[in-house]
Amino acid sequence: LLPTIATLAKVKYDPLFFEGEDMSDVWLGSDRARTDPLFYSYSRTDGDRAMLYGKWKLHISKRDERALYDLSIDREERNNVYDLVNTTRLALEESLHRWEESLPKNYCRLDERYEPCQGGIPLPYDPTIPPVKVGPPANVTYEAVSYESAAVLAPSSIMYTPIPTQSVDGTVRKA
């Protein structure tokens, strides 16, 4: 997200030292998909992790349950094709593993009210060392998926309701 915001705000930054892909052209109306994979991990070293690359989403739970979805035909993630798509699955797993290897092995939050360290160490930060970047998985053709809205990807059981907003005079009105 930082590269996109920095570009829109016309703030200079060194792309080598920040993760993320500049999508400012899309925010301004261009129609293109991401080119880099998107990785996710729950905020602990043993948490769930996932990877999104084009039409593919790979999910590995902390209990090592694995799922692979083709979002071009299964936006609600109901049909796990993990056991059917071997070559793609292996390439995605390799990329996710390379990304995981770049993460700290044992860390904790500095504010122990939320998550005590329990033997971990606060995450060190050295501004002279750029983060490890993991590129697209080998031998997986990038196939973009058109996402009309974030709600399209959400399970149909999720209901989106307007959040009431409060005006300057203190009255509450629907957004």
Side-chain angles (χ1 to χ4, degrees):
L1 189 59
L2 181 112
T4 300
I5 301 296
T7 300
L8 291 170
K10 297 180 175 38
V11 174
K12 291 184 181 182
Y13 71 98
D14 185 348
L16 181 65
F17 286 90
F18 293 96
E19 294 179 287
E21 181 176 349
D22 178 4
M23 299 291 289
S24 58
D25 60 318
V26 175
W27 285 26
L28 297 173
S30 169
D31 184 23
R32 74 168 177 89
R34 291 181 54 87
T35 56
D36 291 334
L38 185 63
F39 298 98
Y40 167 83
S41 177
Y42 189 71
S43 66
R44 290 191 289 267
T45 56
D46 64 344
D48 293 353
R49 53 248 186 247
M51 174 184 177
L52 182 65
Y53 181 67
K55 69 178 190 172
W56 297 107
K57 180 180 179 187
L58 173 66
H59 182 266
I60 302 174
S61 76
K62 62 183 173 184
R63 293 179 303 280
D64 207 36
E65 298 165 337
R66 295 169 183 245
L68 179 64
Y69 301 102
D70 178 347
L71 299 178
S72 67
I73 57 174
D74 184 19
R75 293 182 179 196
E76 293 183 346
E77 301 176 14
R78 295 176 188 241
N79 185 27
N80 182 358
V81 296
Y82 182 85
D83 293 325
L84 305 176
V85 189
N86 294 328
T87 305
T88 299
R89 179 193 77 218
L90 293 172
L92 293 172
E93 284 180 326
E94 172 61 26
S95 288
L96 183 58
H97 178 71
R98 280 187 291 135
W99 177 74
E100 286 179 298
E101 288 297 310
S102 74
L103 299 176
K105 302 296 178 248
N106 191 15
Y107 64 91
C108 62
R109 294 181 181 163
L110 290 174
D111 188 342
E112 292 194 25
R113 292 177 297 169
Y114 300 105
E115 185 175 319
C117 278
Q118 299 176 359
I121 56 171
L123 188 61
Y125 173 70
D126 184 344
T128 64
I129 301 174
V132 173
K133 296 192 181 193
V134 177
N139 303 317
V140 177
T141 303
Y142 186 90
E143 297 177 56
V145 176
S146 174
Y147 303 111
E148 289 81 26
S149 72
V152 171
L153 291 176
S156 57
S157 61
I158 297 177
M159 299 297 293
Y160 294 92
T161 55
I163 299 171
T165 58
Q166 191 167 3
S167 66
V168 177
D169 65 359
T171 59
V172 175
R173 56 192 155 110
K174 286 194 174 185

